[in-house]
C-alpha cells in the first residue's frame, strides 16, 4: 500500500481516499449491522500511521473535526430551552459531581491495587471520570432521545463534567509552571471568562438574536450562514477565554434556543454535522498510538470493566437515591460507560509536565478505545438490555420514585381517550379534542418540557416513554374507549399494539404511519385504523375546497 500513501501526499487525493474508504466502511457497517461510530474509529486506525498511512494533513483533518464538534454542541444548545434547567439543573449538577468524585476515588484504589504509583493512579482515576459529550450527543441524537428525561439529565451532567475537566487541567497546567501565583491567576481568569461568556449569551439571547434573526430569516440560506458563523465565533471566543470551544458553541446554541427559527436552523445543520464529525472519528482513530499500548492489555481490561459497569452503577445509585426510577437512572447511566477524548488530552498534559510516563498514556488510550467501542453498542441497544436486566435493578429504585412524579399525576379519573405523543400531529389532535368538554383524554409524552407546558394549560398530560414496558401498568386502559399513537415509528407502533394486547385492552387502537409503505406493515398487526397525517390533511383540504367551489 506504499503507492496509496504516496498518492495521499496531495491533500485533495488524501481527502478523496479518506471519504471513499469512509463510504466503504460505512456500507460494511450497515451490512454487518455495526454502529457507524465504531466503523469510523476503525477507519481512523486504518488510514493512520499503523496501517495505510494515508493521513498526511493532520492539521486540516483536526480543523474539520473541531468544526464538526462546534456544530454538534451548537445543535445541542439549540434544543436546550433554559426553562428545563428548573427541572434537571439540580440532578445534573449532583449526578455529574457525584460521578466524578466516586469514579475517581474507586479508580484511584484500583490503580494502587495494580501497583501503580500514587501519582499515576491519580491521573488514571481522573481520566476515567470524563465521558465523551460528543459521542453521547451523537448517539442520543441518532436515537431521537435528546429530548427525553434521561437524555436531558445526561447532557446536563456531561456539561458539568466538561467544566470539571477544564478546571482540573487549569490546575495541572499551573503546577507545571514555575510561578507560585499562576494557579490563582488562572482560576481568577477562568471565573471572569465564565461570567463574561454568560453575560454575552444573555445579552445576545435577550436583545440581539430576536431582532437579528427576524431580519435574516427572510433568506433561509442567510439564516443558516449566520447560525454557523455565530457558533464558530462563540466557540473561538470560549477558547480564547480559557474554556473549550465546546462550551462556547453550546452557549451559542442556548442563545438561539428561544428563537422561533431554531428548528429550521437545526434541520439544515444536521447533515453538515454528520459529515464533519466523520473527521472527528478519523482524527481520533488516526492519533491512537498502537505501539505503546500492547503491554497494558491486562490492566486496561480491568479499568475498562470498571468504566463500562461501575460508572453506570454509580449514576444509578445517585439517581435512585434522589428519587428517580431505575429505568431513567439506567439509561442515563449508560452514557458514562466510556472515557472521553478529554481523557486523552488530560493524559497528554500529564506526560508533558512529567507526571506520568508513556506507558500510562498508552493504558488510558487503550481504555478509551475499548470503552468507546463497547459503550456505543450499550447505548444503541439500551432498551433491550434494560428489558433483560430490569428485575435486578429494583434495588436502585426507591419505593416511591417521587422525582418523576413531578411529571406525572395520580390517575384516578376515567378517560375516554389516551394519546401517545404531543408532536405536531398529536398536539393538533389534542387541541381539537379540547373543543369538546364532554370528551376526557389523557396525553403522554416523553419530553418533560412539553409535559410542563401542556400541564400549565390545565390539560391532563403525564410524562412517559412509549418504549417503557412498565408504562402500561399505570395507565387507565380499562375505561378508555380508544388509544391513539401519533408517534410515526413503525417499530414502536407494533410494540404498542403488542403491549396493549398483553394487557387485554378491549378498545380501539389507532396508530400513525409516516409513509404509505409502512401502512401495510402496520395493518398486518391488525390495529383498528392506520393514520397517515398528510393524507388526512389532503382529505380535509379537499372537502373544504369542494364546499367553497359549490358555494
Amino acid at each position: 500500500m506504499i503507492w496509496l500513501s504516496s498518492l495521499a501526499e496531495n491533500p485533495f487525493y488524501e481527502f478523496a481516499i479518506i471519504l471513499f474508504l469512509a463510504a466503504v466502511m460505512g456500507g460494511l457497517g450497515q451490512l454487518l449491522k455495526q454502529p457507524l461510530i465504531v466503523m469510523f474509529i476503525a477507519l481512523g486506525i486504518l488510514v493512520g500511521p499503523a496501517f495505510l498511512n494515508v493521513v498526511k494533513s493532520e492539521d486540516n483533518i483536526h480543523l474539520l473535526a473541531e468544526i464538526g464538534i462546534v456544530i454538534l454542541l451548537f445543535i445541542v444548545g439549540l434544543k436546550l430551552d433554559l426553562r428545563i434547567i428548573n427541572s434537571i439543573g439540580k440532578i445534573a449538577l449532583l449526578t455529574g459531581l457525584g460521578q466524578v468524585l466516586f469514579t475517581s476515588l474507586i479508580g484511584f484504589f484500583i490503580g494502587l491495587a495494580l501497583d501503580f504509583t500514587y501519582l499515576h493512579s491519580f491521573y488514571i482515576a481522573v481520566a476515567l471520570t470524563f465521558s465523551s459529550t460528543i459521542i453521547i450527543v451523537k448517539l442520543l441524537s441518532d436515537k431521537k432521545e435528546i429530548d427525553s428525561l434521561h437524555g436531558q439529565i445526561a447532557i446536563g451532567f456531561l456539561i458539568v463534567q466538561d467544566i470539571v475537566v477544564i478546571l482540573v487541567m487549569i490546575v495541572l497546567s499551573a503546577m507545571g509552571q514555575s510561578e507560585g501565583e499562576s494557579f490563582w491567576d488562572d482560576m481568577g481568569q477562568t471565573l471572569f471568562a465564565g461570567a463574561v461568556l454568560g453575560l454575552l449569551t444573555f445579552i445576545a439571547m435577550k436583545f440581539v438574536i430576536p431582532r437579528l434573526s427576524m431580519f435574516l430569516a427572510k433568506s433561509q440560506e442567510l439564516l443558516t450562514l449566520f447560525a454557523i458563523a455565530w457558533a464558530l465565533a462563540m466557540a473561538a471566543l470560549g477558547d480564547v477565554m480559557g474554556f473549550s470551544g465546546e462550551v462556547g458553541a453550546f452557549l451559542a446554541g442556548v442563545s438561539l434556543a428561544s428563537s422561533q427559527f431554531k428548528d429550521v436552523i437545526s434541520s439544515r445543520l444536521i447533515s453538515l454535522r454528520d459529515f464533519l464529525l466523520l473527521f472527528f472519528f478519523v482524527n481520533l482513530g488516526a492519533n491512537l498510538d498502537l505501539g505503546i499500548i500492547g503491554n497494558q492489555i491486562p490492566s486496561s481490561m480491568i479499568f475498562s470493566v470498571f468504566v463500562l459497569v461501575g460508572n453506570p452503577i454509580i449514576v444509578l445509585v445517585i439517581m435512585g437515591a434522589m428519587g428517580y426510577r431505575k429505568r431513567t437512572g439506567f439509561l442515563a447511566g449508560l452514557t458514562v460507560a466510556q472515557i472521553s477524548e478529554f481523557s486523552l488530552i488530560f493524559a497528554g498534559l500529564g506526560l508533558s509536565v512529567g507526571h506520568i510516563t508513556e506507558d500510562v498514556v498508552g493504558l488510558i488510550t487503550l481504555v478509551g478505545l475499548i470503552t468507546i467501542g463497547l459503550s456505543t453498542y450499550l447505548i444503541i441497544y439500551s432498551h433491550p438490555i434494560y428489558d433483560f436486566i430490569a428485575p435486578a435493578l429494583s434495588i436502585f429504585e426507591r419505593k416511591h420514585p417521587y422525582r418523576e412524579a413531578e411529571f406525572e399525576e395520580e390517575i384516578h379519573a376515567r378517560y375516554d381517550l389516551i394519546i401517545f405523543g404531543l408532536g405536531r400531529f398529536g398536539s393538533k389532535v389534542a387541541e381539537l379534542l379540547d373543543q369538546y368538554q364532554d370528551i376526557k383524554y389523557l396525553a403522554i409524552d416523553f419530553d418533560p418540557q412539553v409535559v410542563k407546558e401542556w400541564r400549565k394549560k390545565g390539560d391532563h398530560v403525564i410524562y412517559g416513554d412509549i418504549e417503557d414496558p412498565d408504562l402500561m401498568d399505570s395507565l387507565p386502559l380499562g375505561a378508555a374507549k380508544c388509544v391513539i399513537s401519533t408517534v410515526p415509528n413503525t417499530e414502536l407502533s407494533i410494540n404498542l399494539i403488542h403491549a396493549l394486547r398483553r394487557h387485554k385492552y378491549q378498545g380501539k387502537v389507532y396508530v400513525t404511519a409516516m409513509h404509505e409503505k409502512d401502512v401495510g406493515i402496520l395493518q398486518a398487526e391488525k390495529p383498528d385504523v392506520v393514520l397517515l397525517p398528510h393524507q388526512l390533511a389532503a382529505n380535509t383540504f379537499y372537502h373544504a375546497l369542494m364546499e367553497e367551489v359549490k358555494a
Side-chain angles (χ1 to χ4, degrees):
M1 292 294 180
I2 297 176
W3 64 273
L4 198 60
S5 177
S6 60
L7 188 65
E9 296 289 346
N10 184 313
F12 181 82
Y13 297 153
E14 174 190 353
F15 277 77
I17 293 169
I18 291 174
L19 290 175
F20 176 77
L21 291 176
V24 172
M25 293 290 285
L28 182 62
Q30 292 279 63
L31 185 64
L32 300 176
K33 297 183 178 180
Q34 302 303 307
L36 284 179
I37 286 177
V38 174
M39 301 306 294
F40 289 156
I41 293 175
L43 170 66
I45 297 174
L46 179 65
V47 299
F51 292 96
L52 300 180
N53 196 26
V54 171
V55 176
K56 305 293 183 182
S57 307
E58 291 91 350
D59 292 341
N60 292 334
I61 290 177
H62 181 68
L63 176 61
L64 291 173
E66 282 193 322
I67 297 175
I69 294 168
V70 166
I71 299 299
L72 175 71
L73 270 297
F74 175 71
I75 292 175
V76 173
L78 275 177
K79 295 179 179 292
L80 183 67
D81 193 320
L82 290 178
R83 290 171 293 180
I84 70 170
I85 292 177
N86 292 330
S87 60
I88 68 165
K90 182 179 179 181
I91 180 62
L93 180 63
L94 293 179
T95 305
L97 295 178
Q99 185 264 323
V100 167
L101 176 63
F102 286 111
T103 298
S104 56
L105 279 175
I106 298 171
F108 178 75
F109 288 112
I110 293 175
L112 293 180
L114 293 173
D115 293 328
F116 287 95
T117 66
Y118 284 95
L119 189 56
H120 289 180
S121 297
F122 167 77
Y123 267 88
I124 294 169
V126 174
L128 299 182
T129 63
F130 307 127
S131 304
S132 178
T133 304
I134 299 152
I135 293 175
I136 299 309
V137 169
K138 179 70 169 66
L139 290 170
L140 291 177
S141 298
D142 291 345
K143 293 186 70 180
K144 305 295 188 293
E145 292 182 2
I146 281 286
D147 294 326
S148 66
L149 180 61
H150 69 268
Q152 292 181 359
I153 292 173
I155 296 303
F157 63 63
L158 287 170
I159 294 297
V160 171
Q161 284 186 3
D162 285 348
I163 295 172
V164 170
V165 71
I166 290 167
L167 295 176
V168 171
M169 291 175 71
I170 288 172
V171 172
L172 293 176
S173 297
M175 289 173 63
Q177 298 172 4
S178 57
E179 295 85 355
E181 298 179 357
S182 61
F183 167 72
W184 298 110
D185 291 342
D186 286 345
M187 286 300 294
Q189 291 173 8
T190 300
L191 291 175
F192 176 74
V196 171
L197 277 175
L199 181 62
L200 283 175
T201 303
F202 174 77
I203 292 173
M205 182 171 56
K206 196 75 175 176
F207 304 107
V208 180
I209 298 297
R211 295 177 176 85
L212 188 59
S213 60
M214 190 67 69
F215 169 73
L216 296 172
K218 296 175 182 178
S219 168
Q220 289 195 5
E221 289 79 6
L222 186 57
L223 181 65
T224 305
L225 177 60
F226 163 73
I228 296 172
W230 177 240
L232 291 173
M234 285 291 286
L237 182 62
D239 193 58
V240 167
M241 300 183 75
F243 287 92
S244 68
E246 293 179 22
V247 174
F250 177 76
L251 290 176
V254 170
S255 68
L256 282 166
S258 57
S259 169
Q260 59 182 307
F261 308 112
K262 65 176 184 178
D263 292 330
V264 175
I265 295 171
S266 177
S267 62
R268 281 179 163 258
L269 292 183
I270 286 175
S271 297
L272 178 63
R273 174 203 68 185
D274 292 340
F275 173 72
L276 291 172
L277 281 179
L278 163 66
F279 295 99
F280 166 77
F281 296 114
V282 169
N283 187 56
L284 181 64
N287 286 323
L288 291 175
D289 190 347
L290 302 181
I292 63 173
I293 64 178
N295 297 328
Q296 302 296 335
I297 292 177
S299 298
S300 68
M301 299 301 270
I302 295 172
F303 283 117
S304 296
V305 170
F306 169 61
V307 172
L308 289 164
V309 179
N311 274 359
I313 290 177
I314 290 171
V315 172
L316 256 172
V317 171
I318 295 172
M319 292 186 64
M322 292 189 68
Y324 283 86
R325 288 200 180 106
K326 60 185 180 181
R327 182 176 184 273
T328 304
F330 175 79
L331 295 178
L334 284 185
T335 63
V336 295
Q338 86 290 120
I339 68 173
S340 169
E341 64 286 347
F342 267 134
S343 301
L344 307 182
I345 297 171
F346 174 74
L349 178 62
L351 180 64
S352 66
V353 298
H355 290 168
I356 60 176
T357 64
E358 287 192 352
D359 287 339
V360 176
V361 175
L363 169 66
I364 295 172
T365 301
L366 187 54
V367 172
L369 186 62
I370 294 170
T371 56
I372 288 172
L374 293 180
S375 68
T376 300
Y377 293 97
L378 293 178
I379 295 170
I380 289 176
Y381 299 107
S382 58
H383 296 288
I385 294 172
Y386 172 79
D387 294 341
F388 182 72
I389 66 173
L393 299 178
S394 298
I395 59 173
F396 300 108
E397 185 178 77
R398 285 190 175 191
K399 186 176 182 181
H400 175 57
Y402 66 93
R403 289 284 179 183
E404 293 184 52
E406 296 173 3
F407 302 107
E408 300 177 353
E409 60 185 18
E410 295 296 329
I411 303 172
H412 299 293
R414 295 169 65 91
Y415 294 98
D416 301 300
L417 304 173
I418 296 176
I419 303 173
F420 283 91
L422 286 172
R424 293 180 180 177
F425 182 41
S427 61
K428 293 299 181 185
V429 172
E431 287 170 1
L432 289 171
L433 289 173
D434 284 337
Q435 300 175 13
Y436 300 92
Q437 299 296 325
D438 55 337
I439 296 179
K440 295 185 66 176
Y441 70 89
L442 175 68
I444 302 148
D445 198 275
F446 83 135
D447 186 339
Q449 185 58 36
V450 170
V451 173
K452 276 192 171 185
E453 290 174 355
W454 278 81
R455 286 168 68 94
K456 284 179 182 177
K457 297 189 294 185
D459 292 286
H460 297 277
V461 183
I462 64 170
Y463 170 81
D465 192 335
I466 194 173
E467 295 187 77
D468 186 353
D470 300 326
L471 178 62
M472 294 297 170
D473 296 329
S474 62
L475 296 181
L477 295 173
K481 302 182 181 68
C482 181
V483 170
I484 305 170
S485 172
T486 65
V487 181
N489 183 300
T490 303
E491 183 180 351
L492 294 182
S493 297
I494 292 173
N495 291 340
L496 175 64
I497 294 169
H498 292 172
L500 291 171
R501 285 177 183 160
R502 285 195 300 271
H503 284 76
K504 299 180 180 180
Y505 174 66
Q506 300 297 318
K508 290 191 174 184
V509 179
Y510 290 69
V511 293
T512 302
M514 178 62 74
H515 306 289
E516 292 187 9
K517 62 182 178 63
D518 299 325
V519 173
I521 299 173
L522 290 172
Q523 287 178 339
E525 301 296 328
K526 298 181 179 178
D528 292 279
V529 179
V530 178
L531 303 170
L532 270 172
H534 64 272
Q535 189 178 76
L536 292 173
N539 289 339
T540 302
F541 173 72
Y542 170 77
H543 291 300
L545 181 63
M546 289 299 102
E547 290 181 6
E548 186 70 23
V549 170
K550 291 176 182 178

